[in-house]
Amino acid sequence: PSPLPQPQDIPYPGKMQISVDATDLSRRIMSIKEVVTLPPELSQKGGDFILLYPMWLPGDHSPSGTIDQVGGLEVRSGKEVLPWHRDTVEVSAFHITVPAGTRELNVSYQLLSPVSPDEGRVVMTDVMENIQWSAVSLYPAGYYTRQIPVVSQVILPEGWQYGTALRADGPQKGNTVTFKSVMFNTLVDSPIFAGKYFRKFDLTQGDQVPVTLNVMADKPQYLNATHDQIARHKELVRQ
């Protein structure tokens, strides 16, 4: 097949919205919904649109994305289900046949996360979870990830709290948190840790730049920290 388009360092002429439902703790499945606005030229003429699953991750030195955990991919334009096929060379690339006049795609799929260490890194338990955006995102081919704006959202289990470098866009609505728009490379580098037993320690110093230590535990008693332990973390921030 034709090679995938080389990424360009230009703004993506559209936007993305990603919503992750992380409440299915018993089956350890995250359900993802994306809305991807298409480039005007493709929207007008129709054609082949390619979504990529992140494989080259920050801190790794090989294509280690967990594409083997992705399932149930469906692409729609309104109520119409659109055909897609996997690239026969780059298996992390999904080709979608877009009819002329299509302005945006509604994409849904699941992350079937490991239930034991034998299957891979466990990221969901009954009391805590780790949402790695690289594992729950598809993004348009042909653009640098620092040029693709994304609005992200997560639905957490009832009563859980979270910690992340992302900033909420307004007050939390029930168990749903919506974050301010960032570029896709920033999103991937801003994982969420959430838990049933959660505690924040304020480490802010005299410069008033807010710094917190977010702690999750398997049991509530493990959240207790001594004054000396917190003082050492505050000193780390000061230095």
Side-chain angles (χ1 to χ4, degrees):
S2 301
L4 299 181
Q6 289 297 307
Q8 302 179 67
D9 194 5
I10 59 175
Y12 176 68
K15 58 184 179 180
M16 291 175 55
Q17 300 175 36
I18 300 176
S19 179
V20 179
D21 185 336
T23 61
D24 193 349
L25 302 178
S26 60
R27 297 190 302 166
R28 304 191 186 183
I29 293 175
M30 297 186 191
S31 298
I32 302 100
K33 294 182 179 180
E34 287 192 19
V35 179
V36 184
T37 305
L38 298 177
E41 183 177 356
L42 178 65
S43 178
Q44 182 180 6
K45 297 181 179 180
D48 183 34
F49 184 66
I50 302 172
L51 288 175
L52 300 175
Y53 187 77
M55 295 300 293
W56 292 85
L57 309 180
D60 287 9
H61 302 281
S62 62
S64 57
T66 54
I67 194 168
D68 56 313
Q69 298 175 15
V70 174
L73 177 62
E74 182 180 83
V75 183
R76 290 178 177 265
S77 172
K79 295 182 179 180
E80 180 183 2
V81 177
L82 301 183
W84 61 267
H85 68 272
R86 214 168 185 174
D87 194 273
T88 54
V89 176
E90 299 290 346
V91 295
S92 59
F94 299 88
H95 296 258
I96 301 162
T97 304
V98 176
T102 304
R103 295 185 177 181
E104 64 180 28
L105 300 179
N106 292 277
V107 186
S108 61
Y109 50 99
Q110 298 173 321
L111 181 75
L112 314 175
S113 75
V115 298
S116 73
D118 295 336
E119 299 173 341
R121 180 172 177 265
V122 174
V123 295
M124 296 182 77
T125 73
D126 58 344
V127 292
M128 67 175 69
E129 61 191 10
N130 174 213
I131 300 170
Q132 298 279 350
W133 293 104
S134 58
V136 293
S137 302
L138 294 171
Y139 67 99
Y143 301 87
Y144 281 21
T145 56
R146 64 171 177 244
Q147 296 277 20
I148 305 173
V150 186
V151 172
S152 57
Q153 182 182 83
V154 63
I155 305 171
L156 298 171
E158 181 73 32
W160 282 32
Q161 299 182 64
Y162 70 92
T164 180
L166 299 172
R167 293 295 175 256
D169 188 11
Q172 183 171 330
K173 297 180 180 179
N175 299 327
T176 301
V177 185
T178 302
F179 299 101
K180 294 180 179 179
S181 178
V182 296
M183 295 303 174
F184 187 70
N185 66 325
T186 299
L187 181 73
V188 167
D189 211 23
S190 306
I192 294 177
F193 287 87
K196 182 178 181 180
Y197 307 117
F198 186 98
R199 187 175 178 183
K200 283 191 175 185
F201 296 92
D202 185 11
L203 306 181
T204 303
Q205 301 295 299
D207 57 10
Q208 297 305 305
V209 176
V211 181
T212 58
L213 175 65
N214 303 308
V215 183
M216 286 132 285
D218 290 313
K219 296 181 180 180
Q221 59 266 33
Y222 297 152
L223 294 174
N224 297 327
T226 66
H227 175 78
D228 180 65
Q229 288 171 331
I230 300 305
R232 289 172 182 265
H233 283 82
K234 286 185 175 180
E235 179 62 15
L236 179 66
V237 174
R238 187 194 67 77
Q239 294 178 19

